[in-house]
Structures are given as structure tokens and as C-alpha cells.
Amino acid sequence: MTDEGKAEVIREIIGNQLLKDDIIKKGLAKKEATAAELGEAFQKLAKEHFPLPPMPEEDAVYKYYLDHQNDYGIPEMVRISQIQFRIPDNATPEQKVAARQRAEAALRRLDAGEPFPKLAGELTENPAAKPPQGDIGFLPREGDPWLTEAVRNLKVGERTKVIESPAGYEILMLTDVRKALITPYVNVRDKVIQRMRGAEQAKLRDAYIKDLAKHAKIEIVQEELKPLFPKGVFP
């Protein structure tokens, strides 16, 4: 739901349409082609213009695995309890100040010795976290950047001060840690190779789509979407 995410989805939809138009233009499929026929035509187009790259060297595969180990197993997880104070969309400066003041008031009560679970159940503005008294379960330590930074130096049982988050303001407590459980290289080697080759092919495909876009008329007509593309859909 971020602006970057919205732009990516729209760009992908337009890119797929450009590829479909190109397939039809090249005579690889008809306008009324079925999904299966379009899929087969796409493979023909890919083979000629953005083919799957050759097998990577073994050392490169292993290095990629080491750099992306969390993708091949269960990454280190942290269990978080949260007291959240939300800022509504299109909030006024006064609403932002009020949310910060609610958070600071909660922090003072924690500093005075009130139990975190009790205050979380009473004060958190995350409806799902109220019944479990602020417990939002296990999350990847290296997940959302703001969360990763917030709990980086915490030990189990410690909490943050008031911090900003995408939702507004938070006070977080680290309640448990689960160490990473990573799948050995030999068990995922084929998946790593497949992913590496797929990523390289995607770069070639994106370059091909960008070239198609130069010869197409692409216009964003909804006013709320125009700011997502300050340099054009395919800059």
C-alpha cells in the first residue's frame, strides 16, 4: 500500500499489456487467444528477446546463497509486545501532536512502574493487539526497517522509548527471540540457481518492456496516481 508498491503494481500491469500487444503485433498469437495460447506465445517471445541466462558459476551460486540465507529457511524472529498510537490518514498537525502526547503519557506510566501488558491492553490503538495485551507475536528481526532498527539493541524484557512507525507512534517491548534456522546449501542449491537465473531474465524482460514503452502512448489519467510517476511510468 506504499506509493512505491502502488507504482510497481501499475507498472507491472502496463508492462504485461505492452507484452501482449507485442505478441499480437508479431503474429505469435491472435487477439482472442486463450490464456494458455498467450502463455505459449510469451515463451516464444522470451526465447528470442529475453532468454533465460546460462547457468551461473558454482562460486557465484554459493555467494548468492550466503547473501540471502534468510530466504532459505526461517530467519531470526523476535516476539514483540506493542502499545500503538495511530495517526489517521491525512492527519492534521494537531492530530499528530495529540497522538504523540498520548504515547508520551503512556511512557510516563511505564516509567512509573505500571506493567506493560496491562497498559497495552488498556491503551493500544491496534484492535487486534488489545485482547492479547499488546502481544503481536513473532516477526522477522530483519523485516520492516523501522522495526529492525527499533529492536536492534534490545534484550529480552527491555522496551523502547516512544518511536515513530508507519502507523503513528509506538512503544515496543522485546519478549522473546528465536534464532535463525537456515536450510543447508546443498538442499536449496537448485532453488538458488533458479532464482538467480530468473532475476537476470527479469532484468532483460524489463529492459525489453522499457523499449516497447518508448513507442507506445502511456497516459496516467487518474489525478491521485499521477504523483506516483514524476519521471514517467518507465523512466
Side-chain angles (χ1 to χ4, degrees):
M1 297 305 294
T2 64
D3 286 348
E4 293 80 4
K6 293 176 184 177
E8 183 179 348
V9 169
I10 295 170
R11 192 175 291 115
E12 182 176 352
I13 293 171
I14 295 173
N16 288 340
Q17 185 62 49
L18 289 171
L19 288 173
K20 181 179 178 181
D21 291 345
D22 192 51
I23 285 171
I24 295 170
K25 181 180 178 181
K26 285 182 166 57
L28 298 175
K30 298 180 180 179
K31 287 185 178 180
E32 61 275 14
T34 65
E37 290 169 338
L38 284 173
E40 184 177 341
F42 175 81
Q43 294 303 321
K44 293 178 181 178
L45 185 74
K47 186 175 181 180
E48 180 177 355
H49 296 285
F50 41 95
L52 198 65
M55 293 284 288
E57 297 290 335
E58 194 69 34
D59 287 348
V61 178
Y62 186 59
K63 183 180 185 305
Y64 186 94
Y65 164 80
L66 292 177
D67 291 342
H68 300 82
Q69 287 189 72
N70 283 344
D71 296 338
Y72 301 99
I74 303 174
E76 183 172 350
M77 307 289 283
V78 291
R79 190 169 187 172
I80 301 295
S81 282
Q82 164 206 73
I83 308 177
Q84 184 181 83
F85 300 91
R86 295 188 170 184
I87 296 176
D89 293 337
N90 304 314
T92 64
E94 292 77 13
Q95 288 174 309
K96 294 179 181 179
V97 169
R100 178 80 192 204
Q101 290 174 340
R102 295 196 301 276
E104 294 290 354
L107 183 63
R108 288 193 294 272
R109 291 175 64 180
L110 288 170
D111 289 340
E114 292 193 53
F116 194 103
K118 171 181 172 294
L119 278 184
E122 175 188 340
L123 300 176
T124 188
E125 295 171 11
N126 177 357
K130 263 188 176 296
Q133 296 186 308
D135 181 19
I136 56 175
F138 282 96
L139 303 170
R141 180 182 284 276
E142 301 296 330
D144 291 333
W146 74 271
L147 179 63
T148 299
E149 185 61 29
V151 302
R152 184 180 305 280
N153 298 316
L154 291 184
K155 298 177 182 178
V156 172
E158 294 181 342
R159 57 176 167 80
T160 67
K161 300 293 187 180
V162 175
I163 59 173
E164 289 192 52
S165 76
Y169 296 102
E170 318 255 350
I171 305 171
L172 305 178
M173 175 176 280
L174 180 65
T175 61
D176 199 1
V177 175
R178 287 182 181 173
K179 296 298 183 182
L181 183 62
I182 304 301
T183 306
Y185 172 69
V186 294
N187 296 105
V188 294
R189 175 182 175 275
D190 291 346
K191 290 183 179 179
V192 175
I193 292 173
Q194 182 181 20
R195 184 173 176 181
M196 290 177 69
R197 297 179 77 195
E200 289 302 312
Q201 185 182 35
K203 291 179 183 178
L204 297 175
R205 181 202 62 217
D206 290 348
Y208 187 76
I209 290 174
K210 190 171 183 178
D211 187 62
L212 291 176
K214 293 178 182 177
H215 308 285
K217 181 181 178 181
I218 302 173
E219 182 181 3
I220 302 296
V221 296
Q222 293 186 13
E223 291 298 326
E224 64 271 23
L225 298 180
K226 289 181 179 180
L228 301 179
F229 305 99
K231 298 181 181 180
V233 178
F234 296 98

